[in-house]
């Protein structure tokens, strides 16, 4: 009986969400969110991406509960060094006799931080510079794009090195340096998108309602640029994680013994022939996480475009 | 209401300089529907764009209610003058619901009672509240054009500029939109400037009209003169004939089958090439 | 127009299997065309363009084309191999699209595109192809063929582009031309020019022409016969110039809702659609 009641309540909720004639803005917004979710969940690859990313978040939150061995302090160096995957150590141990599984689980926090900081810093900068340059045109465009070109002209790692040298070593500074150096492609993409829509009739129509350039850019142009930038950001994720690792390897990013995935690969490099798992396990972790972000980004793009909803 | 004196509009400079409109004069009375007719490149749309500040005025002046327009146009201007675009597929933001599209002008001008006014605006153009939270791609071309008209009217403007409002629509939908525009004008006492390439549409909606060609006035006339078939210029006569369908000439020169020589073709006069060649002009900067 | 017909279509259906269900864009259209001008009129969504595409085997992917009979000069188009179809398309059957800006390759000159088309369908040499291209450009009454030959599509005006497009389609001497809204993007005076060219081509070369348009007045004044389509079906077939004889309420409604310079009703009569028509 109770089961029936809940199912009918659920049915009513679904009806309320999917109605073609919502009564209020709130209902319309919830309804379109629900429909986006339906469209998203129909895409198995996107769902796989979402599951991977959610798993990463959960693992990062509950790292201490999931992996009890210390990720930093190893076991007995005489008996537990470089052990293959087995019962005691699921993914084996490294040359310091540390449990690799535990290091991976705790390293997810760093990975997540890298990803979030880069998104939070680089995406808005790139979007803002790109859309402003594209919309305003003229000398504003020229100045902003030359600055972008200067940033693009340096190899990312070199530029990040310079920033870290100025800011001081450490994972947070490394990530900030990466974020600052990774916005130029986003600005380029946002500018290209803006150029195609700045003279479209719907932008002119808003201009003719007396909207300020700031309002036009933030409320009408940026939403159209976000999907392609998101795609690019998710594609860059793997590269960003690796750049962070590279900085760590050079002693300017994550400092040992911090369990950072890239640094783990770098450390496992010398044992790759005899003890393959040391470098391979973090490699697989990086691969899975970047794949997850890519799939999620692809799925998001489809959902963010209402024309693809059909 | 609208006074246009010696208006010239120039795009580009140097070798790329194009004078899209050359010394145009006309006057539109309050409550009147005024037509601008011409082929592509005649500058008719450019005049509309200049009025609302989307094209630069090189010479001459535009006055609304006796006041010269300012550069840039103020908010006050946009609550007096609004525009409806040709392409209903391009003039509505693809990611915004109809509700969002209609509330934007109200938010920009800081007006209240958005809910009531949006529903009323939709009602007025013949769309029920059911359409309020849909996206443009869920509507037909005619419905989109109705939304565009609702958006133009929601600020209660006095003047509406119509840039080919029906040329992207099917004939039956065109009739509905023309009827809607006519009803709104009489109900609200609006002033229209209608730009179209279709003489029949213009004469249906407007009493007075200006025929444009190559950025200049070809003829200032009215619909009753055209109805009697007495246009003053040969160009207008040609336009009228063209809108009535295809006229098969009896003794038409044969199409050369396999020619290698350069036989001059009487039909291919410089004038015809000229009118076709105007399309390459930039329509707006 | 009593010769044998070039193209025979019987009970043509075009279907799209979409996630939301089966959509039938063309629902049982039959007609025959000889060396004449057949007009197909209808509003957007009436299935007129899908009919044309199906004839050339250009129905976009999820679509499926069914017909009791679909033959061109005795060749069964539904059973023909891709190779045969490819040879027919652009060879003996050609199509002119609505907007030359989108149907021409933007990074090749008009002349190069014409030469390529010709070489793809004949065993001619480059020099011969070029001569042929120039002759065709002249045949569509372009004033300076040499100049147009070396223009890129964006450098040509709408009228020039459309004439070049027709020239390109006619370079292989097709027996049959399908023109899908060939003049809708053009100015009215240029439109007359293009129509005159098409008209003469039918008369001179004995070509068959299907002319698709939404403009009832234009089609009826230009074509020998007119099919009026609605909802994927043919509502009625009209002999030319006899618009006033139209029987079907849909055709009459379409005609009445057009404003006329000679005066029209205020408000204009609107078209009442009867769901029965689409049954």
């Amino acid at each position: 009986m109770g089961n029936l009641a809940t199912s009918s309540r659920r049915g009513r909720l679904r009806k309320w969400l999917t109605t073609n004639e919502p009564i209020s803005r709130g209902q319309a917004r919830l309804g379109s969110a629900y429909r986006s979710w339906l469209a998203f969940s129909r895409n198995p690859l996107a769902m796989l991406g979402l599951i991977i990313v959610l798993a990463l978040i959960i693992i990062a939150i509950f790292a201490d509960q999931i992996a009890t061995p210390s990720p930093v302090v190893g076991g007995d160096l005489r008996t537990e060094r470089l052990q293959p995957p087995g019962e005691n150590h699921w993914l084996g141990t490294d040359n310091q006799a540390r449990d690799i599984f535990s290091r991976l689980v705790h390293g997810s926090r760093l990975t997540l931080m890298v990803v979030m900081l880069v998104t939070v810093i680089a995406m808005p900068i790139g979007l803002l510079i790109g859309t402003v340059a594209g919309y305003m045109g003229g000398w504003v465009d020229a100045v902003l794009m030359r600055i972008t070109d200067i940033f693009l002209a340096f190899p990312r790692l070199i530029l990040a090195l310079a920033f870290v040298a100025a800011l001081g070593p450490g994972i947070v500074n490394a990530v900030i340096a990466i974020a600052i150096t990774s916005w130029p492609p986003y600005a380029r993409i946002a500018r290209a998108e803006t150029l195609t829509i700045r003279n479209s009739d719907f932008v002119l129509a808003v201009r003719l309602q007396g909207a300020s350039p700031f309002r036009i850019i933030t409320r009408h142009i940026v939403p159209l640029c976000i999907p392609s930038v998101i795609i690019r950001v998710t594609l860059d994720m793997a590269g960003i994680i690796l750049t962070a690792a590279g900085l760590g390897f050079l002693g300017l990013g994550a400092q040992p013994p911090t369990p950072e995935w890239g640094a783990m690969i770098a450390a496992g490099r010398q044992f790759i022939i005899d003890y393959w798992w040391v470098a391979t396990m973090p490699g697989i972790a990086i691969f899975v996480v970047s794949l997850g972000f890519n799939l999620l980004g692809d799925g998001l793009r489809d959902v963010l475009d209402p024309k693809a909803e059909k | 209401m609208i006074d246009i004196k010696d208006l010239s509009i120039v795009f580009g400079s140097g070798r790329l300089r194009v004078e899209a409109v050359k010394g145009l004069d006309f006057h539109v009375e309050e409550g009147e529907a005024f037509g601008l007719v011409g082929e592509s490149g005649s500058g008719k749309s450019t005049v509309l764009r200049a009025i609302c500040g989307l094209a630069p005025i090189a010479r001459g002046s535009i006055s609304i209610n006796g006041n010269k327009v300012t550069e840039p146009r103020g908010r006050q201007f946009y609550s007096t003058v609004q525009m409806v675009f040709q392409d209903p597929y391009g003039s509505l933001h693809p990611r915004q619901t109809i509700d969002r599209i209609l509330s934007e002008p109200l938010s920009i001008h800081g007006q209240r009672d958005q809910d009531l006014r949006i529903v009323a605006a939709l009602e007025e153009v013949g769309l029920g509240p059911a359409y309020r939270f849909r996206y443009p791609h869920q509507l037909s071309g005619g419905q989109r054009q109705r939304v565009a008209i609702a958006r133009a009217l929601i600020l209660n403007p006095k003047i509406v500029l119509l840039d080919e409002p029906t040329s992207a629509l099917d004939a039956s939908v065109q009739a509905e939109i023309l009827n809607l525009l006519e009803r709104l004008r009489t109900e609200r006492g609006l002033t229209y400037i209608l730009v179209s390439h279709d003489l029949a549409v213009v004469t249906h909606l407007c009493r007075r009209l200006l025929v444009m060609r190559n950025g200049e006035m070809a003829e200032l006339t009215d619909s009753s003169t055209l109805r009697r078939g007495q246009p003053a210029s040969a160009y207008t006569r040609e336009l009228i004939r063209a809108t009535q369908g295809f006229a098969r000439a009896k003794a038409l020169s044969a199409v050369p089958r396999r020619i290698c020589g350069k036989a001059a073709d009487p039909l291919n006069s410089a004038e015809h090439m000229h009118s076709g060649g105007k399309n390459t002009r930039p329509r707006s900067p | 127009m009593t010769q044998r017909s070039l193209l025979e279509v019987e009970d043509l259906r075009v279907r799209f299997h979409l996630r939301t269900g089966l959509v039938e864009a063309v629902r049982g259209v039959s007609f025959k065309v000889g060396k004449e001008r057949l007009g197909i009129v209808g509003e957007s969504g009436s299935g007129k363009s899908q009919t044309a595409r199906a004839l050339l085997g250009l129905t976009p992917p999820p679509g499926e084309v069914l017909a009791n009979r679909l033959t061109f000069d005795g060749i069964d188009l539904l059973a023909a191999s891709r190779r045969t179809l490819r040879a027919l398309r652009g060879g003996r059957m050609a199509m002119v699209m609505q907007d030359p800006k989108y149907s021409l390759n933007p990074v090749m000159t008009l002349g190069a595109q014409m030469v390529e088309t010709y070489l793809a369908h004949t065993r001619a040499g480059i020099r011969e192809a070029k001569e042929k291209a120039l002759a065709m450009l002249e045949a569509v009454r372009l004033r300076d063929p040499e100049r147009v030959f070396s223009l890129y599509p964006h450098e040509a005006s709408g009228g020039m582009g459309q004439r070049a497009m027709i020239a390109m389609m006619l370079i292989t001497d097709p027996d049959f031309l399908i023109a899908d809204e060939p003049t809708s993007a053009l100015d009215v005076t240029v439109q007359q020019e293009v129509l005159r060219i098409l008209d003469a081509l039918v008369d001179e070369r004995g070509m068959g022409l299907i002319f698709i348009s939404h403009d009832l007045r234009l089609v009826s004044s230009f074509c020998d016969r007119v099919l009026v389509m609605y909802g994927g079906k043919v509502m009625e077939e009209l002999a030319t110039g006899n618009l006033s004889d139209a029987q079907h309420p849909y055709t009459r409604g379409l005609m009445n809702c057009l404003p006329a310079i000679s005066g029209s009703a205020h408000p204009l009569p609107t078209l009442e659609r009867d769901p029965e028509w689409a049954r």
Side-chain angles (χ1 to χ4, degrees):
Chain A
M1 239 10 239
N3 214 349
L4 238 166
T6 44
S7 80
S8 87
R9 199 177 312 142
R10 224 198 247 155
R12 221 176 307 140
L13 177 67
R14 183 171 305 147
K15 210 169 187 186
W16 184 80
L17 282 169
T18 54
T19 173
N20 265 334
E21 298 175 23
I23 305 155
S24 66
R25 276 182 200 176
Q27 188 186 355
R29 219 164 278 154
L30 283 174
S32 83
Y34 178 67
R35 239 165 284 160
S36 301
W37 164 247
L38 283 184
F40 186 86
S41 57
R42 228 178 277 136
N43 181 346
L45 284 178
M47 283 306 281
L48 180 63
L50 182 70
I51 289 169
I52 292 174
V53 172
L54 280 181
L56 177 72
I57 293 171
I58 290 167
I59 288 172
I61 292 173
F62 298 106
D64 292 327
Q65 284 75 34
I66 292 171
T68 38
S70 165
V72 178
V73 183
D76 191 334
L77 280 179
R78 285 165 305 177
T79 55
E80 289 181 88
R81 268 179 89 228
L82 296 168
Q83 297 223 330
E87 213 163 289
N88 284 342
H89 303 285
W90 291 352
L91 302 179
T93 58
D94 66 0
N95 60 332
Q96 304 286 328
R98 293 173 298 204
D99 183 57
I100 293 183
F101 175 71
S102 174
R103 281 176 70 75
L104 281 184
V105 167
H106 284 88
S108 66
R109 289 182 173 173
L110 285 173
T111 306
L112 203 61
M113 185 178 75
V114 169
V115 165
M116 295 223 292
L117 276 177
V118 168
T119 322
V120 166
I121 301 174
M123 229 174 80
I125 296 180
L127 266 176
L128 191 72
I129 290 183
T131 49
V132 168
Y135 183 72
M136 303 302 273
W139 64 268
V140 178
D141 184 26
V143 169
L144 288 178
M145 280 301 114
R146 287 306 77 74
I147 294 174
T148 312
D149 286 345
I150 290 170
F151 272 88
L152 270 176
F154 290 100
R156 186 188 284 178
L157 192 62
I158 305 287
L159 202 57
L161 272 179
F163 275 110
V164 175
L167 297 169
I171 183 77
V172 175
N173 284 348
V175 165
I176 291 173
I178 295 168
I180 291 175
T181 56
S182 60
W183 62 265
Y186 311 146
R188 281 263 163 214
I189 292 170
R191 176 174 175 270
E193 290 271 319
T194 309
L195 286 181
T196 63
I197 50 179
R198 63 176 278 203
N199 280 329
S200 62
D201 283 350
F202 63 85
V203 171
L204 293 183
V206 189
R207 249 173 89 185
L208 292 188
Q209 287 152 11
S212 62
F214 176 76
R215 190 182 178 97
I216 294 174
I217 289 174
T218 53
R219 306 198 54 164
H220 298 272
I221 291 182
V222 165
L224 286 175
C225 296
I226 283 179
S228 44
V229 172
I230 282 185
I231 297 303
R232 179 66 202 244
V233 170
T234 54
L235 286 174
D236 278 355
M237 283 305 172
I240 287 165
I241 295 170
L242 288 175
T243 310
L247 284 177
F249 182 66
L250 292 171
L252 294 169
Q255 299 296 309
T258 321
E260 204 268 330
W261 293 353
M264 286 166 73
I265 296 184
R269 211 173 39 124
Q270 34 189 321
F271 317 110
I272 190 89
I273 306 288
D274 299 316
Y275 312 102
W276 55 270
W277 58 90
V278 182
T280 309
M281 293 308 171
I284 291 175
I286 292 177
F287 170 75
V288 169
V289 168
S290 355
L291 184 74
F293 275 109
N294 281 346
L295 294 178
L296 180 68
D298 253 5
L300 278 180
R301 177 192 48 191
D302 294 345
V303 171
L304 287 175
D305 188 355
K307 271 181 283 182
E309 228 172 68
K310 295 173 224 158
Chain B
M1 190 101 186
I2 306 169
D3 257 306
I4 292 192
K5 287 212 171 68
D6 192 28
L7 177 71
S8 291
I9 299 160
V10 176
F11 294 123
S13 61
R15 212 165 50 82
L16 296 173
R17 188 188 137 98
V18 176
E19 204 171 349
V21 176
K22 305 162 193 160
L24 196 70
D25 291 278
F26 68 88
H27 172 78
V28 182
E29 295 288 341
E30 182 162 3
E32 184 188 18
F34 185 82
L36 283 176
V37 195
E39 299 189 287
S40 51
S42 64
K44 57 188 193 309
S45 293
T46 314
V47 174
L48 275 204
R49 283 166 182 260
I51 294 175
C52 55
L54 294 176
I57 302 171
R59 204 178 62 235
S61 70
I62 298 174
S63 317
I64 309 271
N65 283 330
N67 305 318
K68 261 184 89 165
V69 293
T70 55
E71 203 67 58
R73 312 283 188 275
R75 216 166 255 186
Q76 179 60 37
F77 174 86
Y78 291 123
S79 58
T80 318
V81 182
Q82 277 294 321
M83 183 153 158
V84 175
F85 291 85
Q86 167 175 11
D87 181 10
Y89 296 87
S91 69
L92 304 179
H93 196 290
R95 298 270 165 84
Q96 293 178 353
T97 58
I98 306 308
D99 177 65
R100 175 84 201 281
I101 289 168
L102 293 180
S103 68
E104 188 70 2
L106 295 175
S107 317
I108 292 170
H109 290 261
Q111 302 197 358
R112 284 146 184 250
D113 296 328
Q114 294 200 357
D115 271 324
L116 287 176
R117 290 182 64 174
I118 289 170
V119 172
L122 283 173
E123 190 78 34
E124 194 159 16
V125 296
L127 294 175
Y131 291 94
R132 186 171 165 195
F133 295 105
R134 299 214 180 146
Y135 283 98
H137 69 267
Q138 296 167 320
L139 306 185
S140 70
Q143 289 168 340
R144 288 182 212 207
Q145 201 59 303
R146 285 172 194 265
V147 171
I149 293 170
R151 171 177 61 186
L153 292 181
I154 204 163
L155 291 172
N156 291 321
K158 289 271 151 266
I159 301 168
V160 180
L161 309 175
L162 304 161
D163 189 2
E164 303 258 16
T166 62
S167 62
L169 306 174
D170 277 326
S172 57
V173 183
Q174 163 171 293
E176 289 165 17
I177 297 291
L178 289 179
N179 290 343
L180 171 68
L181 288 171
E182 194 160 46
R183 195 194 80 215
L184 290 171
R185 188 173 72 88
T186 42
E187 279 176 11
R188 294 181 160 222
L190 296 169
T191 307
Y192 283 166
I193 297 186
L194 171 70
V195 160
S196 178
H197 68 281
D198 189 337
L199 256 182
V201 166
V202 173
T203 50
H204 178 79
L205 219 55
C206 308
R207 199 175 55 80
R208 291 197 312 136
L209 57 119
L210 182 81
V211 183
M212 285 185 72
R213 188 182 198 191
N214 301 339
E216 287 170 295
M217 182 177 95
E219 185 174 354
L220 180 63
T221 180
D222 56 59
S223 52
S224 52
T225 312
L226 294 184
R227 202 161 293 151
R228 289 194 303 271
Q230 298 166 324
S233 71
Y235 178 65
T236 313
R237 256 197 297 280
E238 194 187 336
L239 280 184
I240 292 178
R241 219 201 53 215
T243 50
Q244 280 157 355
F246 179 68
R248 186 162 284 126
K250 282 279 175 302
L252 196 70
S253 74
V255 171
R257 249 171 186 266
R258 265 170 238 267
I259 20 151
C260 290
K262 299 264 177 319
D265 196 309
L267 266 169
N268 199 6
S269 66
E271 187 157 279
H272 282 119
M273 283 307 297
H274 199 52
S275 63
K278 283 286 164 265
N279 277 344
T280 41
R281 279 188 168 180
R283 299 191 96 177
S284 61
Chain C
M1 305 299 156
T2 47
Q3 309 110 312
R4 74 199 170 90
S5 37
L6 267 173
L7 186 74
E8 293 187 21
V9 180
E10 206 180 294
D11 198 27
L12 175 72
R13 289 171 186 274
V14 180
R15 289 179 177 166
F16 292 89
H17 295 276
L18 301 177
R19 198 189 301 157
T20 44
L22 183 82
V23 177
E24 213 168 19
V26 180
R27 310 188 301 157
V29 169
S30 307
F31 57 87
K32 290 179 181 177
V33 204
K35 296 180 190 303
E36 59 180 327
R37 312 166 192 85
L38 174 74
I40 301 182
V41 210
E43 299 187 284
S44 46
S46 62
K48 56 186 195 303
S49 291
Q50 287 302 342
T51 304
R53 288 197 182 152
L55 297 181
L56 285 175
L58 295 176
T59 304
E64 175 192 19
V65 180
L66 304 169
N68 284 349
R69 189 180 167 83
L70 183 58
T71 57
F72 173 72
D73 201 14
I75 305 166
D76 186 347
L77 292 178
L78 288 177
S81 65
R82 280 174 181 231
R83 207 189 154 92
T84 323
L85 271 184
R86 213 161 38 226
L88 277 179
R89 240 182 357 232
R92 295 188 60 200
M93 292 170 92
M95 185 162 183
V96 177
M97 309 272 189
Q98 177 169 7
D99 198 336
K101 281 210 169 57
Y102 297 113
S103 32
L104 292 169
N105 183 344
V107 296
M108 274 171 87
T109 62
L110 295 173
Q113 295 183 50
M114 294 181 72
V115 167
E116 194 185 83
T117 313
Y118 191 58
L119 293 181
H121 288 279
T122 56
R123 290 167 181 274
I126 296 237
R127 183 182 301 252
E128 189 194 330
K130 190 175 174 194
E131 266 172 23
K132 177 81 182 174
L134 286 174
M136 281 320 305
L137 286 173
E138 204 164 307
V140 294
R141 293 167 212 194
L142 282 162
R143 187 177 40 166
D144 191 349
E146 301 270 356
R147 192 175 75 89
V148 177
F149 187 88
S150 57
L151 286 184
Y152 285 93
H154 70 271
E155 295 172 314
S157 69
M160 262 156 108
Q162 196 59 297
R163 279 187 248 198
M165 184 84 198
I166 293 174
M168 191 181 303
M169 287 301 142
L170 295 178
I171 196 169
T172 53
D173 286 319
D175 303 321
F176 204 82
L177 183 70
I178 296 172
D180 189 0
E181 304 264 9
T183 60
S184 306
L186 305 177
D187 282 331
V188 277
T189 47
V190 185
Q191 178 179 325
Q192 295 282 316
E193 278 289 282
V194 172
L195 287 180
R196 235 166 262 153
I197 293 164
L198 286 176
D199 194 43
L201 286 167
V202 173
D203 283 345
E204 302 295 316
R205 291 174 176 239
M207 200 174 65
L209 173 71
I210 292 185
F211 187 93
I212 293 164
S213 173
H214 66 278
D215 191 334
L216 189 57
R217 232 176 249 167
L218 188 72
V219 172
S220 63
S221 61
F222 178 74
C223 298
D224 302 318
R225 287 187 297 135
V226 179
L227 299 180
V228 183
M229 281 187 75
Y230 173 74
K233 290 190 155 186
V234 175
M235 291 290 111
E236 107 176 286
E237 185 178 332
L238 291 169
T240 180
N242 295 346
L243 264 188
S244 45
D245 295 349
Q247 294 300 316
H248 201 279
Y250 177 69
T251 320
R252 301 194 69 83
L254 265 190
M255 255 164 44
N256 292 337
C257 67
L258 288 170
I261 296 175
S262 52
S264 33
H266 290 257
L268 286 164
T270 50
L271 179 60
E272 299 298 334
R273 289 177 171 77
D274 188 342
E276 281 295 312
W277 301 342
R279 283 275 162 85

